[in-house]
Amino acid sequence: MQTNTQGRAIVVGASSGIGAALVRRLSAEGWSVAALARRASELETLAKECGALTRVHDAKDFDAVPELFEGLVRELGGLDLVIYAAAVMPKVGRDEYDTPKDLEMVAVNLGGCIAWCNAAARLFRTQRSGTIVGISSIAGERGRKGNPVYGTTKAAMNTYLEALRNRLAESGVHVCTIKPGFVDTAMTQGMGKLLWLVSADEAARAILAAARSRANERFVPRRWWLVGTAIRSIPSFLFRHLNV
Amino acid sequence: MSANLRQLLDLPTRAAPRRSFEYVEGWGMSAGERRRVLRPASVEELRALLARARTEGQRLALRGTGCSYGDASLSAGGDVLDLSRMDRILEWDPARGRASCEPGVTIEKLWRTILPDGWWPRVVPGTMFPTLGGVASMNIHGKNNYEVGTIGDAIREFEILLPNGELRTASREHESALFHAAIGGFGMLGVFTRIELETKKVHSGELEVRAVRAPNLEFALEHLESQRDRCDYLVAWIDAFARGRALGRGLIHEARYLEPGEDEHPEETLQLAHQDLPAAVFGVPKSEAWRALRLLNNDAGMRLLNAVKFHSSALEVWKGPYRQAHAAFAFLLDYVPNWKFAYGRAQQRGLIQYQVFAPRASAAALYREILERCQRARIVPYLGVLKRHRPDPFWLTHALDGYSLALDFKVAPERRAELWKHCEELSERVLDAGGRFYFAKDSTLTPAQAQRMFPPENLARFRALKRELDPQNLLQTALSQRLFGEFGAQSS
């Protein structure tokens, strides 16, 4: 596609929020970027705004991934970076146990991540270079009352990405797990006043910095590390009484 | 593939082979490209893939575990058909020592299956990772080529799926032409789906090994000649940096199978645990040992390493004959995993191997000339290996009544063109001397040189059979494209 660029990247889950901000930042830095998302209209805006290559894709459509991946890598003329940023977090009531709703989160947040990162892992391992970034969440640190399966998908993602990192390290491939706190996106709309809220662009800047420095796991902003560490150390018999 | 397309082609829905998009390279890393890789797990899936290739005119390059050094399992513009998932041993008869295997079964899986019953593959290469489909296509040889021939000589029968979807069985008696053409036919005629092998009865899990120092090339050649009746395996390592009277100096390893009763505890030595390769090399964990070699991977370092190896071999010679497990003797290349990374891990770096097969009469002069020319050009191989060979009946065989000298050359981008030209010039001298080359190792031959290398009638027969069995020329590799183009067939 283009020569003389910083690199070539695929961002899955790019229609809004952190994903869209990452596409804008990468494009501005001179990367060739392919952006994928479910909503065509948002992608169109993104394409117009920063010239990204776009594809409409539902992260639950795992079977479509190998062909899409191949087509995009061919069009980009190679691949250096994959960012999986697709996620859904529907509102879940205090006494709600809704299996279809929960499995939708598993499919989008975790299933899609595995489908895309596996495809990337095969290419990166064989070419002995590349970076995979997974946008997880602070929500994966503990099983909280609020949204059991959202946290579960993020915890599973953390373990999966860690395993990929360990597998691919000897091939010179890096895998970076990002754990954002509250980011000002559609996902956090209507949640009231949130602690340490940062803009999507600010988050995107921190994520790319983490990937560049080959961080294994990075809280965004970094001060969430304190919260993550604290929250993990609370014993279960106390944690169940907390309203977090 | 979409459901509609599947219905359109009348393919079974279950036959959905794994597919991915990868960087596919030769083992030596000096050649590679991003390609779609298809991995069927059954003959049914394989049939479906060939059917689709016929419909779409899509070229396929057959690949096993990718152990050929150069471009033999790379694709020229098409997809790669990786058969490593078809890896079942279909039948093992420990009474007769016969194994019937799918093409993706590796040499490792084979020996691990048969050794506890007291059998060993008749022919193994220097690494245990190649697949049987791969070794049959390349008609590989081992350190006992002069005695037992190539892997093709150990194959009784095979089934092959032709590009038109027809499944044929071939042996020496039945479909003899197909048998002798497909073995060594570098994946051009069809896909092996079942290979039946004869194996060798062994009375111990160990061999008796002896090291002999060769002060020069002539000594090494003479020793391989004089000891061939006495030894079951013979191989010489050559220090390609040595000059003058020491030119071609090295270390010969000879080995023989133990007779019944010589090993007092065969039930122990035949166990797999007895065959494990050492876990550390000079105290460095195996998986990281290549990093240490990396530091020495330059002319000065390798000159030193070769000299140290030669002089320290005095100790091994002094201790006399010793016993060594089959795997430890056979698979020297597997001692240091990924040792090729010592040549640089970046794409298009790495190494090429240049293996010259020379008739007995001309070998000494030819090898002397090759080593001297390498030294004059300052393109000195970091590793040299000498073996004895014998002719076989396969149409495109590399083996002959003579020797082979295998040389590992480092590939550095700034000297790549120079290295290729150097090898091309050497190849002319080899062909003048009646020598041959080996597709599993080749990276540098030209089409004209490939023409000269085989008896013309063999090549003509092979071309005709290729056109008959694969009229669309679906089975192609980067190597076949480089050396034979379209095989004179109509391009689809």
Side-chain angles (χ1 to χ4, degrees):
Chain A
M1 189 173 128
Q2 294 161 23
T3 52
N4 214 1
T5 65
Q6 292 271 349
R8 296 140 304 183
I10 292 177
V11 180
V12 185
S15 56
S16 64
I18 298 174
L22 283 164
V23 173
R24 287 194 188 95
R25 273 215 167 248
L26 285 167
S27 300
E29 286 177 16
W31 285 65
S32 299
V33 188
L36 296 101
R38 209 169 20 150
R39 286 167 290 175
S41 54
E42 272 86 347
L43 280 180
E44 231 167 83
T45 318
L46 210 52
K48 268 189 211 137
E49 201 181 313
C50 55
L53 192 66
T54 59
R55 291 282 185 282
V56 176
H57 168 65
D58 185 340
K60 297 192 294 291
D61 189 4
F62 314 136
D63 286 349
V65 174
E67 196 172 332
L68 255 178
F69 179 79
E70 178 183 328
L72 289 173
V73 178
R74 284 185 193 275
E75 214 162 321
L76 291 168
L79 192 67
D80 307 288
L81 172 67
V82 166
I83 303 180
Y84 191 82
V88 288
M89 189 179 70
K91 271 204 170 345
V92 175
R94 182 67 178 80
D95 293 314
E96 191 178 358
Y97 298 93
D98 182 334
T99 305
K101 191 189 247 185
D102 285 346
L103 291 183
E104 160 101 5
M105 278 186 276
V106 174
V108 175
N109 303 4
L110 182 62
C113 174
I114 293 171
W116 279 95
C117 294
N118 277 350
R122 277 198 181 276
L123 176 66
F124 288 168
R125 184 185 66 77
T126 51
Q127 74 183 16
R128 293 185 293 278
S129 68
T131 301
I132 294 174
V133 176
I135 312 296
S136 178
S137 168
I138 180 102
E141 299 300 290
R142 285 303 287 263
R144 293 171 306 114
K145 293 172 184 169
N147 191 333
V149 175
Y150 182 78
T152 302
T153 61
K154 295 303 184 179
M157 205 172 153
N158 294 347
T159 306
Y160 166 70
L161 291 170
E162 183 191 10
L164 274 195
R165 175 159 56 245
N166 295 339
R167 274 189 160 205
L168 297 172
E170 70 166 25
S171 308
V173 177
H174 186 61
V175 180
C176 176
T177 308
I178 300 291
K179 298 176 172 178
F182 295 118
V183 180
D184 190 8
T185 66
M187 204 181 256
T188 51
Q189 289 294 302
M191 283 185 166
K193 187 161 166 43
L194 295 168
L195 180 68
W196 299 338
L197 187 73
V198 294
S199 71
D201 183 57
E202 184 56 26
R205 190 197 56 74
I207 289 165
L208 294 180
R212 248 176 231 125
S213 65
R214 293 176 87 82
N216 295 325
E217 292 195 344
R218 176 68 57 83
F219 288 89
V220 169
R222 291 177 83 151
R223 52 186 179 268
W224 279 97
W225 175 83
L226 289 168
V227 178
T229 306
I231 208 171
R232 273 199 309 274
S233 64
I234 301 172
S236 195
F237 71 90
L238 288 179
F239 194 74
R240 75 184 57 146
H241 298 292
L242 298 179
N243 218 3
V244 293
Chain B
M1 197 193 319
S2 75
N4 285 346
L5 186 59
R6 215 172 254 147
Q7 283 163 2
L8 201 70
L9 296 172
D10 196 25
L11 302 179
T13 324
R14 277 185 304 120
R18 306 262 167 82
R19 148 188 182 174
S20 61
F21 191 62
E22 300 175 15
Y23 183 74
V24 182
E25 65 185 353
W27 189 85
M29 305 182 293
S30 66
E33 276 197 314
R34 285 183 298 270
R35 292 279 172 235
R36 182 186 302 166
V37 184
L38 304 162
R39 291 190 171 83
S42 64
V43 176
E44 187 193 31
E45 289 187 3
L46 188 60
R47 270 182 198 280
L49 283 170
L50 284 176
R52 197 178 67 174
R54 281 197 300 277
T55 316
E56 297 174 359
Q58 179 68 359
R59 294 169 172 189
L60 296 171
L62 305 188
R63 183 174 168 99
T65 33
C67 291
S68 286
Y69 280 67
D71 53 0
S73 65
L74 308 187
S75 157
D79 293 348
V80 173
L81 186 54
D82 177 332
L83 296 149
S84 57
R85 283 178 74 216
M86 293 177 67
D87 65 346
R88 289 177 304 162
I89 293 181
L90 302 168
E91 206 183 328
W92 162 239
D93 177 356
R96 292 192 297 174
R98 285 186 191 165
S100 192
C101 305
E102 288 191 323
V105 170
T106 58
I107 294 287
E108 178 180 21
K109 187 164 182 175
L110 179 67
W111 76 256
R112 284 184 182 276
T113 305
I114 68 176
L115 186 67
D117 292 328
W119 301 85
W120 183 255
R122 272 177 41 183
V123 175
V124 296
T127 164
M128 63 174 99
F129 303 124
T131 62
L132 293 183
V135 300
S137 299
M138 289 296 155
N139 197 20
I140 62 105
H141 61 262
K143 303 172 182 60
N144 54 358
N145 189 213
Y146 62 91
E147 187 170 83
V148 304
T150 55
I151 191 81
D153 288 303
I155 295 176
R156 283 180 57 80
E157 183 184 281
F158 60 73
E159 272 176 16
I160 188 167
L161 190 63
L162 302 179
N164 67 8
E166 188 190 338
L167 194 65
R168 283 204 206 163
T169 306
S171 64
R172 279 172 192 78
E173 300 78 34
H174 177 73
E175 295 261 20
S176 167
L178 181 58
F179 184 82
H180 291 99
I183 291 175
F186 58 112
M188 289 296 107
L189 302 180
V191 185
F192 294 117
T193 54
R194 184 178 66 80
I195 295 171
E196 193 182 322
L197 286 161
E198 279 176 347
T199 64
K200 159 90 183 157
K201 184 74 194 163
V202 290
H203 304 286
S204 167
E206 296 185 327
L207 297 163
E208 186 179 89
V209 183
R210 194 168 76 103
V212 178
R213 227 140 67 121
N216 55 42
L217 180 69
E218 285 69 21
F219 181 97
L221 290 168
E222 173 49 34
H223 193 84
L224 294 191
E225 199 59 45
S226 62
Q227 299 303 308
R228 46 191 292 228
D229 294 332
R230 211 178 55 78
C231 301
D232 294 312
Y233 295 96
L234 274 169
V235 61
W237 159 78
I238 300 291
D239 172 4
F241 285 94
R243 298 166 175 271
R245 278 191 304 176
L247 187 93
R249 73 179 177 188
L251 184 66
I252 301 162
H253 280 103
E254 39 179 68
R256 65 170 186 89
Y257 295 111
L258 299 182
E259 298 296 329
E262 275 191 276
D263 180 354
E264 286 169 14
H265 301 287
E267 67 288 347
E268 280 173 27
T269 58
L270 287 169
Q271 280 179 18
L272 296 182
H274 190 74
Q275 301 291 322
D276 287 343
L277 300 180
V281 183
F282 298 119
V284 181
K286 271 204 306 187
S287 59
E288 299 302 321
W290 66 266
R291 292 181 200 276
L293 285 176
R294 177 103 199 235
L295 301 173
L296 292 168
N297 199 269
N298 50 61
D299 285 357
M302 282 295 158
R303 179 188 295 275
L304 178 72
L305 193 67
N306 275 275
V308 168
K309 182 175 161 65
F310 179 75
H311 291 295
S312 64
S313 66
L315 198 64
E316 194 186 342
V317 174
W318 174 74
K319 78 175 178 181
Y322 59 95
R323 291 193 181 175
Q324 192 174 27
H326 287 286
F329 178 78
F331 307 122
L332 211 58
L333 293 176
D334 301 336
Y335 272 55
V336 178
N338 288 325
W339 58 266
K340 62 180 178 179
F341 288 163
Y343 284 85
R345 289 218 289 183
Q347 290 167 15
Q348 314 287 327
R349 280 184 175 266
L351 72 155
I352 59 169
Q353 189 173 93
Y354 183 72
Q355 187 169 9
V356 175
F357 292 76
R360 204 157 54 125
S362 55
L366 180 67
Y367 292 162
R368 175 167 279 278
E369 181 188 342
I370 288 176
L371 289 172
E372 283 171 351
R373 284 177 77 137
C374 288
Q375 292 172 356
R376 271 204 307 275
R378 295 187 183 281
I379 305 180
V380 182
Y382 289 176
L383 178 69
V385 174
L386 201 61
K387 290 194 286 273
R388 182 72 170 86
H389 298 272
R390 79 167 196 200
D392 58 61
F394 301 98
W395 290 6
L396 298 189
T397 190
H398 53 274
L400 39 65
D401 183 15
Y403 305 89
S404 76
L405 176 64
L407 304 171
D408 285 7
F409 288 107
K410 180 178 186 165
V411 177
E414 65 278 10
R415 294 194 75 187
R416 191 181 174 106
E418 193 187 346
L419 172 60
W420 257 249
K421 187 161 176 296
H422 175 68
C423 291
E424 207 180 307
E425 287 168 7
L426 294 181
S427 299
E428 288 301 320
R429 299 292 303 120
V430 173
L431 292 165
D432 291 344
R436 286 186 191 164
F437 299 94
Y438 178 23
F439 290 150
K441 306 290 179 66
D442 179 53
S443 292
T444 62
L445 283 179
T446 65
Q449 290 172 338
Q451 291 278 344
R452 276 182 73 192
M453 161 169 108
F454 299 109
E457 65 279 9
N458 282 17
L459 200 53
R461 281 197 290 176
F462 188 83
R463 279 182 196 278
L465 192 60
K466 168 77 175 166
R467 284 198 295 271
E468 179 196 328
L469 301 182
D470 186 12
Q472 281 178 280
N473 208 6
L474 295 176
L475 300 181
Q476 292 194 40
T477 59
L479 179 137
S480 77
Q481 269 287 330
R482 171 165 61 87
L483 298 181
F484 301 103
E486 300 292 317
F487 276 101
Q490 299 287 313
S491 177
S492 53

